[in-house]
Amino acid sequence: MDLDFLRAHPGQLPVFIKHQRIRETPVPGGSICNAQRLTLDDGSSIFCKSLDDPPAGFFATEAAGLRWLQEAGTVQVPSVIAELPAMLALEWIEHGEATPDGASSLGRQLAAMHRAGAPSFGAAWPGFIGTAPLPNDPSDGPWGPWFAERRLLPFLRTSIDNGALTGSDVADVERVIAGISSYGGDEPPSRIHGDLWPGNVLWDRSGAGWLVDPAAHGGHRETDLALLGLWGGAPHHDRIMAAYREAWPLADGWQDRVALHRLYLLLVHTALFGAAYRESVRSTLRAL
C-alpha cells in the first residue's frame, strides 16, 4: 500500500486500516471527527478523518469545498486523496509555526481566492458546518437578506429549540436580522472558506498557511476575515489583514460589520454546543 496505489484504489483504504496494513497515529484537535495520521508502506503519510454514521454527503461536501477552493489556484489547500461516505483522506501537512512573511503571504492569497468569485451566494452542493446542515441553495442576493435567511436564521432557530438562548437574546438577534440592510456591505459573491476561524489555518514547516475544514460557498469576503480574528485571532493577524487590504481594499464600514459576520459562527456554536457560547453571542450583539 503506497500513495500511488491509494490514489488509484481509494475504496480500499478502510480494508487496509481494518487489517492493520497501515500504521495509525492519533492526531489531536478534532472536536467532531476522529483524526489520524496514516503512514503507508512507502513512508508517505496522509491525514484521515472519519465519523461513525455521518450525515449523508458529509465528507463529499467537504471534498467538494476543498477542490473548489483549490481550483482558484491561490491559497494552499490539501489535496483530496480518498473520499468515502464515512472517511476522508487528505494530503499530509507537516506542522510548523506561522511566520510574519507567511502571514502576509496568506493575506494576499486570501484576497486572490476571494477575487476568484462564485456564480452565486451559496453553492452547488448541500452544505455542512460541523455536522449541522448549512443551507446552500444558490441565490443571486443581495447579500444582506441572503445572509440573514441562510446563515443567521437557521442557527437561531436551532439555538431556540435547544434552549441555548434566552427570549431576550432571541429578540436581539431578530432585531439584527430585521435591520440587516442597514449594515450595508453588499458585494457580489466571493469564493470563501466559510468557517475560517484560526484553528482552520494550518501552518507548515516553512511558516506558510494552508486552509482546512472548509464550509466553502459563495459568500461575503468579510466573513472569512472576521472569523480569522475570533478567539485570539490567527498568528500575526495584523500582518494578514494589512496584506489583504493592500491587495484588495475593503469597503467602507467593514470594521462595523465584523461583529455581524461573527454572529453567524457564534450562532452555529450555540446551535451545536448549547448555552456554553451564550455569552459570546451576547457580547457580539452588544457590539452590534
mmCIF file with all atom_site columns, all heavy atoms in Angstrom, residues 21 33 35 41 60 68 74 82 106 112 116 119 140-141 156-157 164 172 222 224 228 230 239 244 250 252 269 273:
data_model
loop_
_atom_site.group_PDB
_atom_site.id
_atom_site.type_symbol
_atom_site.label_atom_id
_atom_site.label_alt_id
_atom_site.label_comp_id
_atom_site.label_asym_id
_atom_site.label_entity_id
_atom_site.label_seq_id
_atom_site.pdbx_PDB_ins_code
_atom_site.Cartn_x
_atom_site.Cartn_y
_atom_site.Cartn_z
_atom_site.occupancy
_atom_site.B_iso_or_equiv
_atom_site.pdbx_formal_charge
_atom_site.auth_seq_id
_atom_site.auth_comp_id
_atom_site.auth_asym_id
_atom_site.auth_atom_id
_atom_site.pdbx_PDB_model_num
ATOM 1   N N   . ARG A 1 21  ? -2.811  -2.860 7.985   1.00 0.00 ? 21  ARG A N   1
ATOM 2   C CA  . ARG A 1 21  ? -1.767  -2.773 6.986   1.00 0.00 ? 21  ARG A CA  1
ATOM 3   C C   . ARG A 1 21  ? -1.168  -1.376 6.906   1.00 0.00 ? 21  ARG A C   1
ATOM 4   O O   . ARG A 1 21  ? -0.259  -1.135 6.126   1.00 0.00 ? 21  ARG A O   1
ATOM 5   C CB  . ARG A 1 21  ? -2.337  -3.168 5.608   1.00 0.00 ? 21  ARG A CB  1
ATOM 6   C CG  . ARG A 1 21  ? -2.730  -4.633 5.503   1.00 0.00 ? 21  ARG A CG  1
ATOM 7   C CD  . ARG A 1 21  ? -1.501  -5.523 5.437   1.00 0.00 ? 21  ARG A CD  1
ATOM 8   N NE  . ARG A 1 21  ? -0.623  -5.119 4.345   1.00 0.00 ? 21  ARG A NE  1
ATOM 9   C CZ  . ARG A 1 21  ? -0.785  -5.527 3.076   1.00 0.00 ? 21  ARG A CZ  1
ATOM 10  N NH1 . ARG A 1 21  ? -1.799  -6.315 2.762   1.00 0.00 ? 21  ARG A NH1 1
ATOM 11  N NH2 . ARG A 1 21  ? 0.066   -5.145 2.148   1.00 0.00 ? 21  ARG A NH2 1
ATOM 12  N N   . CYS A 1 33  ? -14.827 14.836 14.418  1.00 0.00 ? 33  CYS A N   1
ATOM 13  C CA  . CYS A 1 33  ? -14.367 13.625 13.744  1.00 0.00 ? 33  CYS A CA  1
ATOM 14  C C   . CYS A 1 33  ? -13.180 13.001 14.477  1.00 0.00 ? 33  CYS A C   1
ATOM 15  O O   . CYS A 1 33  ? -12.465 13.666 15.222  1.00 0.00 ? 33  CYS A O   1
ATOM 16  C CB  . CYS A 1 33  ? -13.935 13.945 12.306  1.00 0.00 ? 33  CYS A CB  1
ATOM 17  S SG  . CYS A 1 33  ? -15.289 14.471 11.246  1.00 0.00 ? 33  CYS A SG  1
ATOM 18  N N   . ALA A 1 35  ? -9.494  11.768 14.081  1.00 0.00 ? 35  ALA A N   1
ATOM 19  C CA  . ALA A 1 35  ? -8.425  12.199 13.181  1.00 0.00 ? 35  ALA A CA  1
ATOM 20  C C   . ALA A 1 35  ? -7.185  11.361 13.407  1.00 0.00 ? 35  ALA A C   1
ATOM 21  O O   . ALA A 1 35  ? -6.796  11.104 14.557  1.00 0.00 ? 35  ALA A O   1
ATOM 22  C CB  . ALA A 1 35  ? -8.110  13.678 13.391  1.00 0.00 ? 35  ALA A CB  1
ATOM 23  N N   . ASP A 1 41  ? 3.274   2.135  3.288   1.00 0.00 ? 41  ASP A N   1
ATOM 24  C CA  . ASP A 1 41  ? 4.469   1.304  3.144   1.00 0.00 ? 41  ASP A CA  1
ATOM 25  C C   . ASP A 1 41  ? 5.644   2.047  2.522   1.00 0.00 ? 41  ASP A C   1
ATOM 26  O O   . ASP A 1 41  ? 6.798   1.691  2.757   1.00 0.00 ? 41  ASP A O   1
ATOM 27  C CB  . ASP A 1 41  ? 4.151   0.066  2.290   1.00 0.00 ? 41  ASP A CB  1
ATOM 28  C CG  . ASP A 1 41  ? 3.231   -0.908 3.019   1.00 0.00 ? 41  ASP A CG  1
ATOM 29  O OD1 . ASP A 1 41  ? 3.184   -0.847 4.265   1.00 0.00 ? 41  ASP A OD1 1
ATOM 30  O OD2 . ASP A 1 41  ? 2.567   -1.712 2.349   1.00 0.00 ? 41  ASP A OD2 1
ATOM 31  N N   . ALA A 1 60  ? -18.410 14.116 1.331   1.00 0.00 ? 60  ALA A N   1
ATOM 32  C CA  . ALA A 1 60  ? -18.449 14.552 -0.073  1.00 0.00 ? 60  ALA A CA  1
ATOM 33  C C   . ALA A 1 60  ? -18.524 16.071 -0.157  1.00 0.00 ? 60  ALA A C   1
ATOM 34  O O   . ALA A 1 60  ? -17.908 16.693 -1.038  1.00 0.00 ? 60  ALA A O   1
ATOM 35  C CB  . ALA A 1 60  ? -19.647 13.916 -0.785  1.00 0.00 ? 60  ALA A CB  1
ATOM 36  N N   . TRP A 1 68  ? -12.955 22.985 -4.761  1.00 0.00 ? 68  TRP A N   1
ATOM 37  C CA  . TRP A 1 68  ? -13.400 24.274 -5.309  1.00 0.00 ? 68  TRP A CA  1
ATOM 38  C C   . TRP A 1 68  ? -12.462 25.395 -4.888  1.00 0.00 ? 68  TRP A C   1
ATOM 39  O O   . TRP A 1 68  ? -12.126 26.266 -5.699  1.00 0.00 ? 68  TRP A O   1
ATOM 40  C CB  . TRP A 1 68  ? -14.823 24.542 -4.840  1.00 0.00 ? 68  TRP A CB  1
ATOM 41  C CG  . TRP A 1 68  ? -15.483 25.738 -5.443  1.00 0.00 ? 68  TRP A CG  1
ATOM 42  C CD1 . TRP A 1 68  ? -15.745 25.958 -6.757  1.00 0.00 ? 68  TRP A CD1 1
ATOM 43  C CD2 . TRP A 1 68  ? -15.995 26.875 -4.739  1.00 0.00 ? 68  TRP A CD2 1
ATOM 44  N NE1 . TRP A 1 68  ? -16.394 27.163 -6.917  1.00 0.00 ? 68  TRP A NE1 1
ATOM 45  C CE2 . TRP A 1 68  ? -16.561 27.736 -5.689  1.00 0.00 ? 68  TRP A CE2 1
ATOM 46  C CE3 . TRP A 1 68  ? -16.050 27.217 -3.393  1.00 0.00 ? 68  TRP A CE3 1
ATOM 47  C CZ2 . TRP A 1 68  ? -17.167 28.940 -5.347  1.00 0.00 ? 68  TRP A CZ2 1
ATOM 48  C CZ3 . TRP A 1 68  ? -16.655 28.411 -3.044  1.00 0.00 ? 68  TRP A CZ3 1
ATOM 49  C CH2 . TRP A 1 68  ? -17.204 29.269 -4.013  1.00 0.00 ? 68  TRP A CH2 1
ATOM 50  N N   . THR A 1 74  ? -4.864  29.714 -5.657  1.00 0.00 ? 74  THR A N   1
ATOM 51  C CA  . THR A 1 74  ? -4.379  30.857 -4.866  1.00 0.00 ? 74  THR A CA  1
ATOM 52  C C   . THR A 1 74  ? -3.837  30.402 -3.522  1.00 0.00 ? 74  THR A C   1
ATOM 53  O O   . THR A 1 74  ? -2.632  30.356 -3.301  1.00 0.00 ? 74  THR A O   1
ATOM 54  C CB  . THR A 1 74  ? -5.514  31.877 -4.679  1.00 0.00 ? 74  THR A CB  1
ATOM 55  O OG1 . THR A 1 74  ? -6.658  31.212 -4.125  1.00 0.00 ? 74  THR A OG1 1
ATOM 56  C CG2 . THR A 1 74  ? -5.913  32.497 -6.009  1.00 0.00 ? 74  THR A CG2 1
ATOM 57  N N   . ALA A 1 82  ? -8.674  10.354 -0.868  1.00 0.00 ? 82  ALA A N   1
ATOM 58  C CA  . ALA A 1 82  ? -9.750  9.366  -0.848  1.00 0.00 ? 82  ALA A CA  1
ATOM 59  C C   . ALA A 1 82  ? -10.971 9.987  -0.191  1.00 0.00 ? 82  ALA A C   1
ATOM 60  O O   . ALA A 1 82  ? -10.900 10.524 0.906   1.00 0.00 ? 82  ALA A O   1
ATOM 61  C CB  . ALA A 1 82  ? -9.323  8.113  -0.089  1.00 0.00 ? 82  ALA A CB  1
ATOM 62  N N   . LEU A 1 106 ? -0.340  34.801 3.222   1.00 0.00 ? 106 LEU A N   1
ATOM 63  C CA  . LEU A 1 106 ? -1.704  34.293 3.339   1.00 0.00 ? 106 LEU A CA  1
ATOM 64  C C   . LEU A 1 106 ? -2.723  35.399 3.083   1.00 0.00 ? 106 LEU A C   1
ATOM 65  O O   . LEU A 1 106 ? -3.747  35.163 2.432   1.00 0.00 ? 106 LEU A O   1
ATOM 66  C CB  . LEU A 1 106 ? -1.919  33.682 4.725   1.00 0.00 ? 106 LEU A CB  1
ATOM 67  C CG  . LEU A 1 106 ? -3.327  33.137 4.988   1.00 0.00 ? 106 LEU A CG  1
ATOM 68  C CD1 . LEU A 1 106 ? -3.662  31.997 4.045   1.00 0.00 ? 106 LEU A CD1 1
ATOM 69  C CD2 . LEU A 1 106 ? -3.470  32.691 6.439   1.00 0.00 ? 106 LEU A CD2 1
ATOM 70  N N   . ALA A 1 112 ? -6.771  36.963 -3.333  1.00 0.00 ? 112 ALA A N   1
ATOM 71  C CA  . ALA A 1 112 ? -6.851  36.375 -4.672  1.00 0.00 ? 112 ALA A CA  1
ATOM 72  C C   . ALA A 1 112 ? -7.931  35.295 -4.721  1.00 0.00 ? 112 ALA A C   1
ATOM 73  O O   . ALA A 1 112 ? -8.673  35.192 -5.717  1.00 0.00 ? 112 ALA A O   1
ATOM 74  C CB  . ALA A 1 112 ? -5.495  35.792 -5.063  1.00 0.00 ? 112 ALA A CB  1
ATOM 75  N N   . ALA A 1 116 ? -11.546 35.300 -7.000  1.00 0.00 ? 116 ALA A N   1
ATOM 76  C CA  . ALA A 1 116 ? -11.926 34.268 -7.971  1.00 0.00 ? 116 ALA A CA  1
ATOM 77  C C   . ALA A 1 116 ? -13.438 34.155 -8.094  1.00 0.00 ? 116 ALA A C   1
ATOM 78  O O   . ALA A 1 116 ? -13.958 33.676 -9.101  1.00 0.00 ? 116 ALA A O   1
ATOM 79  C CB  . ALA A 1 116 ? -11.324 32.918 -7.563  1.00 0.00 ? 116 ALA A CB  1
ATOM 80  N N   . PRO A 1 119 ? -20.436 31.793 -8.688  1.00 0.00 ? 119 PRO A N   1
ATOM 81  C CA  . PRO A 1 119 ? -21.565 32.115 -9.570  1.00 0.00 ? 119 PRO A CA  1
ATOM 82  C C   . PRO A 1 119 ? -22.776 32.677 -8.838  1.00 0.00 ? 119 PRO A C   1
ATOM 83  O O   . PRO A 1 119 ? -23.636 33.316 -9.455  1.00 0.00 ? 119 PRO A O   1
ATOM 84  C CB  . PRO A 1 119 ? -21.895 30.768 -10.227 1.00 0.00 ? 119 PRO A CB  1
ATOM 85  C CG  . PRO A 1 119 ? -21.299 29.730 -9.338  1.00 0.00 ? 119 PRO A CG  1
ATOM 86  C CD  . PRO A 1 119 ? -20.101 30.365 -8.709  1.00 0.00 ? 119 PRO A CD  1
ATOM 87  N N   . ASP A 1 140 ? -29.048 34.822 -6.013  1.00 0.00 ? 140 ASP A N   1
ATOM 88  C CA  . ASP A 1 140 ? -28.399 35.982 -6.634  1.00 0.00 ? 140 ASP A CA  1
ATOM 89  C C   . ASP A 1 140 ? -28.262 37.155 -5.671  1.00 0.00 ? 140 ASP A C   1
ATOM 90  O O   . ASP A 1 140 ? -27.714 38.193 -6.024  1.00 0.00 ? 140 ASP A O   1
ATOM 91  C CB  . ASP A 1 140 ? -29.187 36.426 -7.867  1.00 0.00 ? 140 ASP A CB  1
ATOM 92  C CG  . ASP A 1 140 ? -29.110 35.404 -9.001  1.00 0.00 ? 140 ASP A CG  1
ATOM 93  O OD1 . ASP A 1 140 ? -28.101 34.669 -9.062  1.00 0.00 ? 140 ASP A OD1 1
ATOM 94  O OD2 . ASP A 1 140 ? -30.067 35.324 -9.797  1.00 0.00 ? 140 ASP A OD2 1
ATOM 95  N N   . GLY A 1 141 ? -28.754 37.006 -4.457  1.00 0.00 ? 141 GLY A N   1
ATOM 96  C CA  . GLY A 1 141 ? -28.614 38.072 -3.469  1.00 0.00 ? 141 GLY A CA  1
ATOM 97  C C   . GLY A 1 141 ? -29.777 39.046 -3.519  1.00 0.00 ? 141 GLY A C   1
ATOM 98  O O   . GLY A 1 141 ? -30.822 38.729 -4.066  1.00 0.00 ? 141 GLY A O   1
ATOM 99  N N   . LEU A 1 156 ? -30.264 30.374 14.565  1.00 0.00 ? 156 LEU A N   1
ATOM 100 C CA  . LEU A 1 156 ? -31.076 30.964 15.623  1.00 0.00 ? 156 LEU A CA  1
ATOM 101 C C   . LEU A 1 156 ? -32.201 30.003 16.001  1.00 0.00 ? 156 LEU A C   1
ATOM 102 O O   . LEU A 1 156 ? -32.456 29.767 17.189  1.00 0.00 ? 156 LEU A O   1
ATOM 103 C CB  . LEU A 1 156 ? -31.650 32.307 15.169  1.00 0.00 ? 156 LEU A CB  1
ATOM 104 C CG  . LEU A 1 156 ? -32.637 32.957 16.144  1.00 0.00 ? 156 LEU A CG  1
ATOM 105 C CD1 . LEU A 1 156 ? -31.975 33.268 17.481  1.00 0.00 ? 156 LEU A CD1 1
ATOM 106 C CD2 . LEU A 1 156 ? -33.253 34.212 15.531  1.00 0.00 ? 156 LEU A CD2 1
ATOM 107 N N   . ARG A 1 157 ? -32.883 29.439 15.012  1.00 0.00 ? 157 ARG A N   1
ATOM 108 C CA  . ARG A 1 157 ? -33.987 28.516 15.294  1.00 0.00 ? 157 ARG A CA  1
ATOM 109 C C   . ARG A 1 157 ? -33.509 27.312 16.109  1.00 0.00 ? 157 ARG A C   1
ATOM 110 O O   . ARG A 1 157 ? -34.154 26.905 17.079  1.00 0.00 ? 157 ARG A O   1
ATOM 111 C CB  . ARG A 1 157 ? -34.618 28.054 13.979  1.00 0.00 ? 157 ARG A CB  1
ATOM 112 C CG  . ARG A 1 157 ? -35.327 29.151 13.197  1.00 0.00 ? 157 ARG A CG  1
ATOM 113 C CD  . ARG A 1 157 ? -36.050 28.578 12.006  1.00 0.00 ? 157 ARG A CD  1
ATOM 114 N NE  . ARG A 1 157 ? -36.671 29.626 11.189  1.00 0.00 ? 157 ARG A NE  1
ATOM 115 C CZ  . ARG A 1 157 ? -36.312 29.919 9.948   1.00 0.00 ? 157 ARG A CZ  1
ATOM 116 N NH1 . ARG A 1 157 ? -35.326 29.243 9.368   1.00 0.00 ? 157 ARG A NH1 1
ATOM 117 N NH2 . ARG A 1 157 ? -36.929 30.874 9.283   1.00 0.00 ? 157 ARG A NH2 1
ATOM 118 N N   . ALA A 1 164 ? -30.468 27.180 24.117  1.00 0.00 ? 164 ALA A N   1
ATOM 119 C CA  . ALA A 1 164 ? -29.171 27.818 24.310  1.00 0.00 ? 164 ALA A CA  1
ATOM 120 C C   . ALA A 1 164 ? -29.291 29.325 24.516  1.00 0.00 ? 164 ALA A C   1
ATOM 121 O O   . ALA A 1 164 ? -28.406 29.937 25.123  1.00 0.00 ? 164 ALA A O   1
ATOM 122 C CB  . ALA A 1 164 ? -28.274 27.530 23.113  1.00 0.00 ? 164 ALA A CB  1
ATOM 123 N N   . ASP A 1 172 ? -32.957 40.118 20.460  1.00 0.00 ? 172 ASP A N   1
ATOM 124 C CA  . ASP A 1 172 ? -31.840 40.933 19.973  1.00 0.00 ? 172 ASP A CA  1
ATOM 125 C C   . ASP A 1 172 ? -31.363 40.437 18.607  1.00 0.00 ? 172 ASP A C   1
ATOM 126 O O   . ASP A 1 172 ? -31.058 41.249 17.714  1.00 0.00 ? 172 ASP A O   1
ATOM 127 C CB  . ASP A 1 172 ? -30.685 40.892 20.973  1.00 0.00 ? 172 ASP A CB  1
ATOM 128 C CG  . ASP A 1 172 ? -30.975 41.707 22.230  1.00 0.00 ? 172 ASP A CG  1
ATOM 129 O OD1 . ASP A 1 172 ? -31.897 42.546 22.185  1.00 0.00 ? 172 ASP A OD1 1
ATOM 130 O OD2 . ASP A 1 172 ? -30.283 41.489 23.250  1.00 0.00 ? 172 ASP A OD2 1
ATOM 131 N N   . GLU A 1 222 ? -15.815 39.464 3.676   1.00 0.00 ? 222 GLU A N   1
ATOM 132 C CA  . GLU A 1 222 ? -15.616 39.935 5.045   1.00 0.00 ? 222 GLU A CA  1
ATOM 133 C C   . GLU A 1 222 ? -15.890 38.839 6.077   1.00 0.00 ? 222 GLU A C   1
ATOM 134 O O   . GLU A 1 222 ? -15.374 38.909 7.197   1.00 0.00 ? 222 GLU A O   1
ATOM 135 C CB  . GLU A 1 222 ? -16.524 41.136 5.327   1.00 0.00 ? 222 GLU A CB  1
ATOM 136 C CG  . GLU A 1 222 ? -16.128 42.404 4.583   1.00 0.00 ? 222 GLU A CG  1
ATOM 137 C CD  . GLU A 1 222 ? -17.108 43.541 4.812   1.00 0.00 ? 222 GLU A CD  1
ATOM 138 O OE1 . GLU A 1 222 ? -18.031 43.377 5.652   1.00 0.00 ? 222 GLU A OE1 1
ATOM 139 O OE2 . GLU A 1 222 ? -16.983 44.591 4.156   1.00 0.00 ? 222 GLU A OE2 1
ATOM 140 N N   . ASP A 1 224 ? -14.926 35.594 6.002   1.00 0.00 ? 224 ASP A N   1
ATOM 141 C CA  . ASP A 1 224 ? -13.665 34.905 6.270   1.00 0.00 ? 224 ASP A CA  1
ATOM 142 C C   . ASP A 1 224 ? -12.748 35.753 7.135   1.00 0.00 ? 224 ASP A C   1
ATOM 143 O O   . ASP A 1 224 ? -12.141 35.265 8.095   1.00 0.00 ? 224 ASP A O   1
ATOM 144 C CB  . ASP A 1 224 ? -12.949 34.581 4.949   1.00 0.00 ? 224 ASP A CB  1
ATOM 145 C CG  . ASP A 1 224 ? -13.422 33.281 4.309   1.00 0.00 ? 224 ASP A CG  1
ATOM 146 O OD1 . ASP A 1 224 ? -14.219 32.554 4.928   1.00 0.00 ? 224 ASP A OD1 1
ATOM 147 O OD2 . ASP A 1 224 ? -12.968 32.995 3.174   1.00 0.00 ? 224 ASP A OD2 1
ATOM 148 N N   . LEU A 1 228 ? -11.392 35.035 11.105  1.00 0.00 ? 228 LEU A N   1
ATOM 149 C CA  . LEU A 1 228 ? -9.960  34.878 11.385  1.00 0.00 ? 228 LEU A CA  1
ATOM 150 C C   . LEU A 1 228 ? -9.528  35.598 12.660  1.00 0.00 ? 228 LEU A C   1
ATOM 151 O O   . LEU A 1 228 ? -8.508  35.265 13.251  1.00 0.00 ? 228 LEU A O   1
ATOM 152 C CB  . LEU A 1 228 ? -9.129  35.415 10.216  1.00 0.00 ? 228 LEU A CB  1
ATOM 153 C CG  . LEU A 1 228 ? -8.639  34.431 9.168   1.00 0.00 ? 228 LEU A CG  1
ATOM 154 C CD1 . LEU A 1 228 ? -7.840  35.163 8.107   1.00 0.00 ? 228 LEU A CD1 1
ATOM 155 C CD2 . LEU A 1 228 ? -7.816  33.310 9.782   1.00 0.00 ? 228 LEU A CD2 1
ATOM 156 N N   . LEU A 1 230 ? -11.386 35.735 15.462  1.00 0.00 ? 230 LEU A N   1
ATOM 157 C CA  . LEU A 1 230 ? -12.041 35.187 16.647  1.00 0.00 ? 230 LEU A CA  1
ATOM 158 C C   . LEU A 1 230 ? -11.050 34.474 17.565  1.00 0.00 ? 230 LEU A C   1
ATOM 159 O O   . LEU A 1 230 ? -10.016 33.974 17.128  1.00 0.00 ? 230 LEU A O   1
ATOM 160 C CB  . LEU A 1 230 ? -13.125 34.194 16.229  1.00 0.00 ? 230 LEU A CB  1
ATOM 161 C CG  . LEU A 1 230 ? -14.510 34.764 15.872  1.00 0.00 ? 230 LEU A CG  1
ATOM 162 C CD1 . LEU A 1 230 ? -15.378 33.671 15.263  1.00 0.00 ? 230 LEU A CD1 1
ATOM 163 C CD2 . LEU A 1 230 ? -15.202 35.356 17.107  1.00 0.00 ? 230 LEU A CD2 1
ATOM 164 N N   . ARG A 1 239 ? -0.673  41.288 10.274  1.00 0.00 ? 239 ARG A N   1
ATOM 165 C CA  . ARG A 1 239 ? 0.044   41.151 9.001   1.00 0.00 ? 239 ARG A CA  1
ATOM 166 C C   . ARG A 1 239 ? -0.885  40.583 7.922   1.00 0.00 ? 239 ARG A C   1
ATOM 167 O O   . ARG A 1 239 ? -0.828  41.000 6.760   1.00 0.00 ? 239 ARG A O   1
ATOM 168 C CB  . ARG A 1 239 ? 1.267   40.247 9.172   1.00 0.00 ? 239 ARG A CB  1
ATOM 169 C CG  . ARG A 1 239 ? 2.346   40.790 10.115  1.00 0.00 ? 239 ARG A CG  1
ATOM 170 C CD  . ARG A 1 239 ? 3.100   41.946 9.462   1.00 0.00 ? 239 ARG A CD  1
ATOM 171 N NE  . ARG A 1 239 ? 3.891   41.522 8.308   1.00 0.00 ? 239 ARG A NE  1
ATOM 172 C CZ  . ARG A 1 239 ? 5.194   41.274 8.334   1.00 0.00 ? 239 ARG A CZ  1
ATOM 173 N NH1 . ARG A 1 239 ? 5.869   41.392 9.476   1.00 0.00 ? 239 ARG A NH1 1
ATOM 174 N NH2 . ARG A 1 239 ? 5.846   40.932 7.246   1.00 0.00 ? 239 ARG A NH2 1
ATOM 175 N N   . TYR A 1 244 ? -3.842  41.753 3.055   1.00 0.00 ? 244 TYR A N   1
ATOM 176 C CA  . TYR A 1 244 ? -5.111  41.601 2.340   1.00 0.00 ? 244 TYR A CA  1
ATOM 177 C C   . TYR A 1 244 ? -5.613  42.950 1.837   1.00 0.00 ? 244 TYR A C   1
ATOM 178 O O   . TYR A 1 244 ? -5.965  43.104 0.661   1.00 0.00 ? 244 TYR A O   1
ATOM 179 C CB  . TYR A 1 244 ? -6.164  40.965 3.251   1.00 0.00 ? 244 TYR A CB  1
ATOM 180 C CG  . TYR A 1 244 ? -7.460  40.657 2.520   1.00 0.00 ? 244 TYR A CG  1
ATOM 181 C CD1 . TYR A 1 244 ? -7.749  39.364 2.116   1.00 0.00 ? 244 TYR A CD1 1
ATOM 182 C CD2 . TYR A 1 244 ? -8.387  41.664 2.217   1.00 0.00 ? 244 TYR A CD2 1
ATOM 183 C CE1 . TYR A 1 244 ? -8.921  39.078 1.429   1.00 0.00 ? 244 TYR A CE1 1
ATOM 184 C CE2 . TYR A 1 244 ? -9.554  41.394 1.530   1.00 0.00 ? 244 TYR A CE2 1
ATOM 185 C CZ  . TYR A 1 244 ? -9.817  40.094 1.134   1.00 0.00 ? 244 TYR A CZ  1
ATOM 186 O OH  . TYR A 1 244 ? -10.969 39.819 0.441   1.00 0.00 ? 244 TYR A OH  1
ATOM 187 N N   . LEU A 1 250 ? -10.907 46.896 1.482   1.00 0.00 ? 250 LEU A N   1
ATOM 188 C CA  . LEU A 1 250 ? -12.254 46.562 1.929   1.00 0.00 ? 250 LEU A CA  1
ATOM 189 C C   . LEU A 1 250 ? -13.168 47.779 1.820   1.00 0.00 ? 250 LEU A C   1
ATOM 190 O O   . LEU A 1 250 ? -12.714 48.926 1.838   1.00 0.00 ? 250 LEU A O   1
ATOM 191 C CB  . LEU A 1 250 ? -12.211 46.065 3.375   1.00 0.00 ? 250 LEU A CB  1
ATOM 192 C CG  . LEU A 1 250 ? -11.479 44.731 3.561   1.00 0.00 ? 250 LEU A CG  1
ATOM 193 C CD1 . LEU A 1 250 ? -11.207 44.482 5.039   1.00 0.00 ? 250 LEU A CD1 1
ATOM 194 C CD2 . LEU A 1 250 ? -12.277 43.587 2.969   1.00 0.00 ? 250 LEU A CD2 1
ATOM 195 N N   . ASP A 1 252 ? -16.006 50.621 2.704   1.00 0.00 ? 252 ASP A N   1
ATOM 196 C CA  . ASP A 1 252 ? -16.227 51.468 3.868   1.00 0.00 ? 252 ASP A CA  1
ATOM 197 C C   . ASP A 1 252 ? -17.166 50.782 4.860   1.00 0.00 ? 252 ASP A C   1
ATOM 198 O O   . ASP A 1 252 ? -18.140 50.134 4.468   1.00 0.00 ? 252 ASP A O   1
ATOM 199 C CB  . ASP A 1 252 ? -16.841 52.801 3.443   1.00 0.00 ? 252 ASP A CB  1
ATOM 200 C CG  . ASP A 1 252 ? -15.860 53.676 2.667   1.00 0.00 ? 252 ASP A CG  1
ATOM 201 O OD1 . ASP A 1 252 ? -14.652 53.383 2.710   1.00 0.00 ? 252 ASP A OD1 1
ATOM 202 O OD2 . ASP A 1 252 ? -16.320 54.634 2.014   1.00 0.00 ? 252 ASP A OD2 1
ATOM 203 N N   . HIS A 1 269 ? -22.346 27.830 16.975  1.00 0.00 ? 269 HIS A N   1
ATOM 204 C CA  . HIS A 1 269 ? -21.845 27.204 18.200  1.00 0.00 ? 269 HIS A CA  1
ATOM 205 C C   . HIS A 1 269 ? -22.955 27.013 19.236  1.00 0.00 ? 269 HIS A C   1
ATOM 206 O O   . HIS A 1 269 ? -22.981 25.983 19.928  1.00 0.00 ? 269 HIS A O   1
ATOM 207 C CB  . HIS A 1 269 ? -20.689 28.022 18.779  1.00 0.00 ? 269 HIS A CB  1
ATOM 208 C CG  . HIS A 1 269 ? -19.372 27.722 18.133  1.00 0.00 ? 269 HIS A CG  1
ATOM 209 N ND1 . HIS A 1 269 ? -19.103 28.049 16.819  1.00 0.00 ? 269 HIS A ND1 1
ATOM 210 C CD2 . HIS A 1 269 ? -18.260 27.091 18.596  1.00 0.00 ? 269 HIS A CD2 1
ATOM 211 C CE1 . HIS A 1 269 ? -17.881 27.648 16.519  1.00 0.00 ? 269 HIS A CE1 1
ATOM 212 N NE2 . HIS A 1 269 ? -17.349 27.062 17.578  1.00 0.00 ? 269 HIS A NE2 1
ATOM 213 N N   . PHE A 1 273 ? -23.454 23.356 20.304  1.00 0.00 ? 273 PHE A N   1
ATOM 214 C CA  . PHE A 1 273 ? -22.862 23.063 21.610  1.00 0.00 ? 273 PHE A CA  1
ATOM 215 C C   . PHE A 1 273 ? -23.624 23.652 22.792  1.00 0.00 ? 273 PHE A C   1
ATOM 216 O O   . PHE A 1 273 ? -23.231 23.458 23.941  1.00 0.00 ? 273 PHE A O   1
ATOM 217 C CB  . PHE A 1 273 ? -21.406 23.553 21.631  1.00 0.00 ? 273 PHE A CB  1
ATOM 218 C CG  . PHE A 1 273 ? -20.573 23.010 20.498  1.00 0.00 ? 273 PHE A CG  1
ATOM 219 C CD1 . PHE A 1 273 ? -20.034 23.858 19.547  1.00 0.00 ? 273 PHE A CD1 1
ATOM 220 C CD2 . PHE A 1 273 ? -20.350 21.646 20.372  1.00 0.00 ? 273 PHE A CD2 1
ATOM 221 C CE1 . PHE A 1 273 ? -19.272 23.362 18.496  1.00 0.00 ? 273 PHE A CE1 1
ATOM 222 C CE2 . PHE A 1 273 ? -19.579 21.140 19.332  1.00 0.00 ? 273 PHE A CE2 1
ATOM 223 C CZ  . PHE A 1 273 ? -19.047 21.997 18.390  1.00 0.00 ? 273 PHE A CZ  1
#
